[in-house]
Amino acid sequence: MKIGEMAQQVGCSVETIRFYEKAGLLPKALRNIENNYRDYQHVHLERLRFIRRCRSLGMTHDEIRTLLDAKKNIDGCHAINDVIAMHLAHVQHRLHELQALEQELQRLQQQCQGFDGVEDCGILRALESEHIPQTIDAHDHVHDANICRGH
């Protein structure tokens, strides 16, 4: 099948497929001798579905690579379970950070009565004068660059 057909079947863009190929998650398809189009096989389709499912769970490309490598291991699924356990821990940590962020935003919102002019805005005063704790880790696992634009 052609790249557009595969993209349609999985529900992603052609650019996403090319991105996964460049990232080494999806093997490049061989080119058809007759028309020089890439000829994707069922194995590409299944691999792409696997990658997209992992991405829908917020997994990084490194985690997906680890899972793909672990699929080849016949000794057991310990490595697979480890990846999921680590990812779950990251998600739980992120939830804790988001709850702290929610509380901080609620506290800020309480500073505003909605009737004051901008010069008397309680939120702006709080943002300008208070130390706002960093509730989101700048190196957060879930917000890595691989998530942008559906990749």
Side-chain angles (χ1 to χ4, degrees), residues 72-98:
K72 301 172 195 172
N73 186 349
I74 60 171
D75 294 333
C77 61
H78 297 296
I80 296 167
N81 190 43
D82 290 347
V83 170
I84 297 303
M86 286 178 46
H87 187 64
L88 178 60
H90 287 292
V91 169
Q92 290 168 334
H93 178 74
R94 178 74 173 139
L95 284 170
H96 177 72
E97 289 178 333
L98 287 171

Side-chain angles (χ1 to χ4, degrees), residues 115-125 128:
F115 306 115
D116 299 329
V118 171
E119 64 278 354
D120 295 322
C121 178
I123 294 174
L124 292 178
R125 275 198 316 261
E128 290 170 350

Side-chain angles (χ1 to χ4, degrees), residues 58 60 94 98 136-148:
T60 65
R94 178 74 173 139
L98 287 171
I136 302 297
D137 185 357
H139 303 288
D140 191 276
H141 160 81
V142 178
H143 277 281
D144 72 18
N146 298 328
I147 292 180
C148 296

Side-chain angles (χ1 to χ4, degrees), residues 5-20:
E5 295 171 66
M6 190 165 75
Q8 186 175 18
Q9 283 192 34
V10 176
C12 69
S13 69
V14 168
E15 291 80 20
T16 297
I17 294 172
R18 290 187 181 132
F19 180 85
Y20 290 146

Side-chain angles (χ1 to χ4, degrees), residues 54-55 58-65 87 141-142 144 146:
C54 290
R55 295 297 292 140
M59 292 183 188
T60 65
H61 289 176
D62 287 339
E63 289 171 325
I64 296 169
R65 274 188 200 91
H87 187 64
H141 160 81
V142 178
D144 72 18
N146 298 328

Side-chain angles (χ1 to χ4, degrees), residues 129-140:
S129 65
E130 292 182 23
H131 170 70
I132 304 295
Q134 183 176 352
T135 57
I136 302 297
D137 185 357
H139 303 288
D140 191 276

